[in-house]
């Protein structure tokens, strides 16, 4: 028998990685940990950003479950799939994401690991084309946008987007910021269901933004991670389609993780529009090379399931029904909260999973301590983070906090 190795012979002086210091913890992850540790049986966790049904579960969609079964029965190999990932998946997404632009051969796409992968890839491509470019980012925005942009070596300029206490979009200030930007600056826009505010541009506002972006020669990057969960598939991409009408160069970072409920399977895509089909093809060669350096090829399973759903008529029809159910539940709970108090009425005119309450961090902490209700210090909460039976208790506690 071989002697057990001992660890007594190491040099005992490992300090190389000490240079890294502490990570500044992501406040949302800390919030999830705090909620998980709370043992009160009636706790409400509206911090985490996933869909929950009437009884508080995040279910696997019926259509996805059936697609997984079909995949298991029919998949013959798990050999490498190539840098584009599942090409049929990306092709099937085109009419959903691009609408009337689906047939435009200047728009090319590829499969990415989730919306995050698409964002990273899009910003790295921009950095490859124009190192150090400026990216205009709305405040507030999804907290991961800024690190992803900075990691690509790009510079951030903020534009005002939403006034939390007034509960309104700062449209004029935003347009002034765009007006002050220069040709070739990048502007990050949320396609729909703005995270964290729920405040989406209306059609007139989109038209003004499109006119400004086009006239100033800005490069729009549209993050569309919640299509179908706001008003409907076409409606949620209407602003994006207007941009595609007017601009020759557009970058689109898309996610299927929410509208297919496949969060952990990491399913997204990056679409690019350039001035010609030849330029798009050439640009896509760079995209594939950058992806090769980051993840080589995207994970296959989730996108294969999405492909099967979209390619199988009865699964496709059922998925439409299921997305409709999710959307209706979101909007029903929004209406319920909005109807409870005039100060919450604005929530009924917002879209998607998130809105922000006009509460101070102290009020948010009091909700946590007194009512076991967990939300971000900013007052951002997940509208459908709670089961049906918890909605009235949530509303009562929020109204009490606003009164106090
Ligand atoms: C605005 C926004 N963009 C992108 C993403 C990333 O989505 P994914 O989980 O597909 O990476 C999210 C996820 O929360 C998001 O809220």
């Amino acid at each position: 028998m071989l002697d057990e190795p001992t660890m007594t012979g190491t040099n005992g002086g490992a300090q190389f990685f000490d240079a890294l210091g502490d990570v500044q913890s992501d406040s949302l992850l800390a919030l999830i940990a705090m909620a998980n540790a709370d043992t009160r049986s009636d706790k409400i966790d509206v911090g985490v950003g996933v869909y929950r049904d009437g009884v508080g579960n995040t279910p696997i969609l019926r259509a996805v479950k059936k697609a997984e079964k079909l995949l298991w029965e029919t998949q013959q190999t798990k050999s490498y799939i190539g840098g584009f990932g599942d090409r049929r998946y990306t092709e099937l997404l085109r009419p959903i994401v691009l609408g009337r632009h689906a047939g435009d051969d200047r728009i090319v796409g590829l499969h990415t690991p989730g919306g995050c992968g698409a964002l990273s890839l899009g910003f790295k491509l921009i950095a490859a084309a124009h190192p150090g470019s400026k990216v205009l980012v709305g405040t507030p925005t999804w907290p991961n946008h800024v690190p992803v942009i900075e990691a690509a070596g790009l510079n951030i300029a903020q534009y005002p987007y939403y006034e939390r206490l007034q509960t309104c979009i700062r449209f004029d200030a935003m347009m002034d910021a765009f007006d002050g930007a220069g040709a070739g600056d990048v502007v990050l826009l949320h396609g729909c269901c703005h995270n964290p505010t729920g405040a989406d541009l209306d059609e007139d506002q989109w038209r003004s933004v499109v006119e400004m972006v086009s006239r100033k020669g800005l490069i729009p990057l549209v993050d569309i991670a919640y299509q179908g969960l706001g008003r409907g598939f076409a409606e949620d991409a209407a602003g994006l389609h207007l941009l595609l009408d007017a601009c020759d160069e557009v970058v689109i970072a898309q996610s299927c993780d929410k509208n297919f409920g496949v969060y952990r399977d990491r399913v997204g895509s990056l679409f690019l529009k350039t001035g010609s089909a030849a330029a798009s093809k050439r640009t896509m060669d760079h995209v594939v090379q950058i992806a090769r350096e980051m993840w080589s090829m995207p994970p296959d399973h989730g996108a294969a399931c999405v492909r099967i759903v979209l390619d199988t008529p009865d699964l496709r029809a059922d998925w439409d029904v299921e997305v409709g159910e999710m959307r209706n539940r979101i909007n029903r709970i929004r209406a319920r909260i909005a109807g409870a108090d005039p100060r919450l009425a604005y929530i009924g005119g917002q879209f998607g999973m998130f809105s922000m309450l006009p509460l101070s961090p102290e009020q948010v902490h009091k909700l946590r301590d007194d009512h076991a209700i967990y939300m971000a210090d900013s007052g951002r909460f997940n509208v459908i983070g709670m089961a049906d039976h918890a909605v009235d208790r949530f509303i009562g506690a929020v109204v009490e906090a606003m009164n106090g």
Side-chain angles (χ1 to χ4, degrees):
M1 199 174 106
L2 292 174
D3 288 341
E4 286 291 315
T6 68
M7 298 304 288
T8 51
T10 64
N11 61 12
Q15 286 164 354
F16 182 79
F17 294 108
D18 286 356
L20 288 171
D22 293 330
V23 170
Q24 207 186 341
S25 78
D26 180 323
S27 55
L28 280 178
L29 295 183
L31 186 71
I32 293 169
M34 229 188 300
N36 287 343
D38 190 326
T39 53
R40 285 175 284 184
S41 60
D42 60 348
K43 75 181 165 197
I44 297 176
D45 177 8
V46 285
V48 66
V50 295
Y51 176 84
R52 290 201 175 113
D53 65 15
V55 290
N57 294 329
T58 302
I60 301 175
L61 299 190
R62 290 183 299 268
V64 169
K65 202 71 180 159
K66 286 183 191 152
E68 288 191 303
K69 185 159 183 282
L70 281 173
L71 183 65
W72 183 79
E73 286 165 356
T74 57
Q75 194 173 43
Q76 298 295 331
T77 180
K78 286 194 182 286
S79 173
Y80 291 121
I81 191 167
F84 276 85
D86 189 324
R87 287 179 187 262
R88 177 73 180 146
Y89 152 81
T90 317
E91 194 183 312
L92 288 162
L93 283 180
R94 288 182 76 94
I96 298 171
V97 178
L98 306 175
R100 61 182 171 275
H101 298 276
D104 187 339
D105 64 3
R106 292 170 300 172
I107 307 178
V108 289
L110 95 170
H111 156 199
T112 60
C116 278
L119 286 165
S120 281
L121 198 51
F123 286 118
K124 283 199 185 242
L125 176 73
I126 288 164
H130 291 280
S133 292
K134 186 159 87 181
V135 184
L136 284 87
V137 179
T139 41
T141 193
W142 179 53
N144 208 22
H145 277 147
V146 168
V148 167
I149 294 165
E150 286 177 342
L154 300 170
N155 294 307
I156 304 259
Q158 302 198 337
Y159 66 84
Y161 184 72
Y162 185 75
E163 176 50 58
R164 189 174 70 99
L165 297 178
Q166 306 296 323
T167 70
C168 61
I169 292 177
R170 298 181 64 187
F171 190 69
D172 293 342
M174 171 175 112
M175 292 296 277
D176 286 347
F178 292 173
D179 204 16
D185 287 347
V186 177
V187 56
L188 172 61
L189 296 161
H190 293 230
C192 62
C193 304
H194 188 275
N195 182 4
T197 70
D200 286 351
L201 301 175
D202 66 25
E203 190 183 331
D204 287 344
Q205 289 171 325
W206 267 113
R207 286 188 189 283
S208 303
V209 166
V210 168
E211 190 279 324
M212 174 74 83
V213 165
S214 155
R215 181 163 51 79
K216 300 286 297 187
L218 308 180
I219 309 296
L221 189 151
V222 179
D223 179 355
I224 182 154
Y226 298 89
Q227 193 184 0
L229 298 178
R231 294 171 229 218
F233 282 102
E235 296 86 341
D236 289 349
L240 167 61
H241 298 163
L242 289 173
L243 273 170
L244 289 168
D245 287 340
C247 301
D248 284 325
E249 293 180 305
V250 180
V251 184
I252 305 162
Q254 181 270 350
S255 176
C256 292
D257 288 329
K258 333 283 174 170
N259 54 18
F260 281 84
V262 289
Y263 308 87
R264 67 174 64 172
D265 285 337
R266 317 303 304 131
V267 189
S269 64
L270 178 77
F271 285 97
L272 279 177
K273 179 181 179 185
T274 78
S276 70
S280 293
K281 190 173 174 309
R282 202 171 54 243
T283 310
M284 197 41 99
D285 291 342
H286 288 269
V287 170
V288 172
Q289 177 56 34
I290 298 167
R292 176 97 177 119
E293 291 156 18
M294 293 204 284
W295 50 73
S296 185
M297 301 166 202
D300 176 63
H301 179 84
C305 293
V306 169
R307 166 181 38 84
I308 291 170
V309 170
L310 294 179
D311 234 354
T312 312
D314 56 331
L315 297 190
R316 165 69 202 244
D318 199 26
W319 173 66
D320 278 336
V321 170
E322 291 185 283
V323 177
E325 284 165 3
M326 291 197 278
R327 178 172 62 243
N328 290 341
R329 176 165 152 71
I330 292 170
N331 292 332
R332 233 181 11 253
I333 300 221
R334 283 191 170 281
R336 214 163 133 187
I337 298 172
D341 188 290
R343 291 167 294 179
L344 298 173
Y346 68 95
I347 288 174
Q350 298 182 336
F351 294 96
M353 291 194 197
F354 306 106
S355 278
M356 291 177 109
L357 292 166
L359 298 175
S360 66
E362 291 71 33
Q363 288 169 315
V364 168
H365 296 169
K366 202 162 153 39
L367 279 175
R368 195 181 301 166
D369 297 340
D370 296 353
H371 298 281
I373 293 176
Y374 286 82
M375 70 179 69
D377 280 4
S378 62
R380 184 198 90 150
F381 76 106
N382 180 357
V383 176
I384 32 84
M386 62 200 123
D388 282 341
H389 70 80
V391 176
D392 286 338
R393 193 169 81 75
F394 173 82
I395 293 171
V398 167
V399 169
E400 182 188 303
M402 289 192 305
N403 290 341

